Each structure stands twice: as structure tokens, then as C-alpha cells.
Amino acid sequence: MKVSDLGERRLLERIRARLPKPPGHVVVGIGDDAAVVEVARNTRVVVTTDALVEGVHFDRAFSTPADIGHKALAVNLSDLAAMGATPVWALLSLALPDGTAVEDVEALVDGLVGLANANSVALVGGNLTSSHNQIVVDVTAGGTVHPRRVLLRDGGRAGDLLFTSGTIGAAAAGLEMIKAGLPPSPANEQCFSKYRRPDARVRLGRALSATRAARAAMDSSDGLADAVRQLAEASGCGAEIDASQLPIDDGARRWWVSQGVDPVDRSLVGGDDYELVIAVPPKWRGRLRQVTRRVSDPSLRCVGVLTRTANEYVVVRDGRRERLTGGFEHW
Ligand SMILES: [Mg+2]
């Protein structure tokens, strides 16, 4: 059997089935944005890893080497943010074809280190290896979190309000614009930069953790619809999204309208947002106000609610209830 016969999720299930039961010091194992390990009494280390593969995650015609370095770290910091962790260190493993220009490698490292410095993250090591055709940028990142303040995916309950940070759809629209050869302009700049250099919501994740304002959290690396479904599924709930509340990026909306496609559908399934999606009980809204006082950018928008009906994911649009589809699987 080939991996393409199985798909990403079933392949992951098979891998999990081969592992022994995790020992007691593994607080959170496979299945969340990152793992949480108790390395010493009352000390939690949060670790995650994510690779960017040329031709799959990036194209050197669409992103500069510095953009690629930035994004390779950002996607990892985003997973740490979704756990409420403070990032501390990162490892960088590079697979490079023979003909890779040294200046490109230096620019990639500079892009990564720029974001690392901005977040007080130290690049502490890594690995270099040759590859046949494609560049692979593999980053592992670690951080710390207060033992009782870890943000998990599975903590949501029916009735919790669903919020997303920032806007949705910009990165997906940005990639389409870049592919279409659209020149950068003030109107679409946000879309270009969200695709090439996503921000990780590290400060927001820390504030959510410190105030205990969220009962569940994950990042929307594969789009809002995917994050809502995964958070709801892990929490044993269904979810209902209100299409009229979606914070669709203005430039993305204009682009999709100009292309004759539906901005709501596209922004829900579009990946690479790296926003935080959280579940908040209505009575915790006071705690959420503490969060927005600490971190005003990005803003938080209530886009829906967790429901009692497990596995039912709905988007309500002009009074109609439609099935919420979306999510990305490799193979
Ligand atoms: Mg994630």
C-alpha cells in the first residue's frame, strides 16, 4: 500500500498504533498542536516540529529565501502559541540540493533569525544534509508553559463561543495573486505578506494562557474550517459558524469577488492563516477582555459556537444551514 492510498490522517493513526503507551511524564502526546513533556517536577516543555518542502509548501519563484526562513520558524511558533507556550529555542535542519546558492542559504538563515530574535528565541543547533532536487527546511521548536495553563484542543464544551484572531483568507488569496502575477499594491500588500511572512500569535497565546480565558485552542494553519472542526472533534462537540461574522481580509474579499468566486467558501478553507482559534465559555468574556487589554493586535472575533451534536459542522449563511467542509490532507 502507498501513503497516497491512506491519506495523512490514517497514516498518522497507523504510526500512533505502533507506539507504546506514553510514559507518565508525557503530559500531551501526539494529537495536539504540540507535545507537552514534564522534564522535571513542575516544569513543562512544549515541543513541535514542522517542515517546509520546496514544491509542496513553497516555490522559490513566489517567496524569497528570507521569506522561507521566516515562515519555517513562524509555523512552529504558531503551534507553540496555540498551546499557550513561550517559545525559547529552535533547531534548524536543512536539506539542500548541490546547486543551492550559498547566499540563498545565508538569506534563509537571516530570515529565520530575524523572527527568532523578535521572539527571543535562540537557534541552538540543527543539521545540514544534501538532497536530490528540493530544499527542505525542517524546524523543531521548544518552549515552556505553566503546568496548569496549557491550552489544549480537547477542552471545549457545548455552548462555548468560538473566536478567531486576526483575519482569514489573506494568505490563500495572496498565493493566488502571486501565482497570477499580480503586482504588489497597498490594496493587496496584506495578502502577499500573510502568505510570505505569516505572524505567529505568540503574545496572544501567552495572554490567553496567563488569564485562562480559553477552554480550548488551536492554530488555523490549514484554514478556519479545519481548525474549528478539529477543535470541535477533539472536544466531542459539533460546531456552528456564522458566515456574517467571518473577519474576511478586505483585499482577499475584493480579489475573490473579482475572480467570480465566493469569498466565504474560499476564506473558510484557505490555509496558511496561522491565527488562533479558541473556545470560550460565555461567562468567561471578562477574562477575554483582560486579554484584549494586554494584546490589542490581532483583534478577536466571535465567529460561532460549539454545539451538542458531535461531528456536525455547520455554517449558517443568510438563514440557511450548510455543511462546513474544508481541511487539508497531504496525499
Ligand atoms: Mg497547529
Side-chain angles (χ1 to χ4, degrees):
M1 198 193 318
K2 297 174 186 156
V3 291
S4 57
D5 297 327
L6 267 185
E8 181 179 343
R9 288 194 191 186
R10 282 158 67 204
L11 181 62
L12 181 58
E13 279 167 26
R14 285 200 168 212
I15 292 170
R16 285 180 81 159
R18 305 183 76 79
L19 304 179
K21 188 177 177 293
H25 60 268
V26 177
V27 182
V28 179
I30 296 171
D32 214 303
D33 290 89
V36 182
V37 184
E38 181 176 26
V39 288
R41 215 175 127 77
N42 286 324
T43 308
R44 299 285 189 275
V45 166
V46 185
V47 279
T48 188
T49 188
D50 225 325
L52 298 189
V53 179
E54 184 175 11
V56 178
H57 301 96
F58 67 89
D59 186 318
R60 276 188 275 171
F62 304 152
S63 298
T64 67
D67 292 337
I68 295 160
H70 174 107
K71 190 163 179 173
L73 181 62
V75 300
N76 281 277
L77 296 187
S78 179
D79 277 328
L80 294 182
M83 305 298 285
T86 302
V88 179
W89 52 262
L91 296 165
L92 169 65
S93 189
L94 284 174
L96 305 169
D98 295 358
T100 311
V102 174
E103 307 86 79
D104 287 351
V105 178
E106 289 173 340
L108 187 153
V109 170
D110 288 348
L112 187 149
V113 170
L115 182 65
N117 289 345
N119 285 279
S120 305
V121 169
L123 184 62
V124 294
N127 181 52
L128 293 172
T129 175
S130 62
S131 83
H132 287 302
N133 295 306
Q134 280 115 6
I135 295 180
V136 179
V137 188
D138 194 359
V139 172
T140 298
T144 56
V145 69
H146 187 287
R148 288 188 303 281
R149 295 185 185 182
V150 186
L151 301 174
L152 302 177
R153 285 182 192 179
D154 64 6
R157 313 243 176 89
D160 287 356
L161 303 172
L162 293 168
F163 289 79
T164 181
S165 61
T167 64
I168 63 170
L175 177 58
E176 291 178 24
M177 293 172 189
I178 294 166
K179 282 183 172 170
L182 208 69
S185 75
N188 60 28
E189 189 191 331
Q190 180 72 9
C191 295
F192 280 57
S193 68
K194 276 213 74 165
Y195 171 71
R196 289 182 170 140
R197 289 186 173 236
D199 273 326
R201 302 311 192 183
V202 172
R203 289 179 59 233
L204 180 61
R206 289 177 63 179
L208 288 166
S209 161
T211 54
R212 303 187 207 206
R215 197 135 67 175
M218 80 170 277
D219 74 334
S220 55
S221 45
D222 289 331
L224 181 65
D226 174 76
V228 164
R229 288 176 54 154
Q230 291 210 50
L231 188 151
E233 190 181 345
S235 300
C237 297
E240 195 174 290
I241 296 295
D242 179 351
S244 70
Q245 294 305 310
L246 295 175
I248 301 173
D249 177 88
D250 288 338
R253 186 190 292 274
R254 278 193 300 273
W255 164 256
W256 282 319
V257 168
S258 78
Q259 298 300 298
V261 295
D262 179 27
V264 169
D265 286 348
R266 288 296 179 101
S267 63
L268 278 171
V269 303
D272 271 346
D273 279 329
Y274 304 104
E275 296 295 345
L276 294 185
V277 175
I278 56 172
V280 180
K283 62 175 186 295
W284 290 9
R285 288 188 93 145
R287 298 188 194 177
L288 209 53
R289 277 193 290 276
Q290 287 181 46
V291 172
T292 48
R293 271 200 296 273
R294 284 189 196 193
V295 182
S296 57
D297 180 31
S299 58
L300 287 166
R301 175 82 71 90
C302 183
V303 294
V305 65
L306 289 177
T307 62
R308 257 170 234 299
T309 324
N311 298 315
E312 187 184 72
Y313 314 109
V314 174
V315 55
V316 181
R317 209 170 163 180
D318 306 321
R320 280 175 291 119
R321 294 169 63 82
E322 298 169 4
R323 244 187 70 205
L324 180 69
T325 53
F328 178 79
E329 277 207 69
H330 286 282
W331 310 292

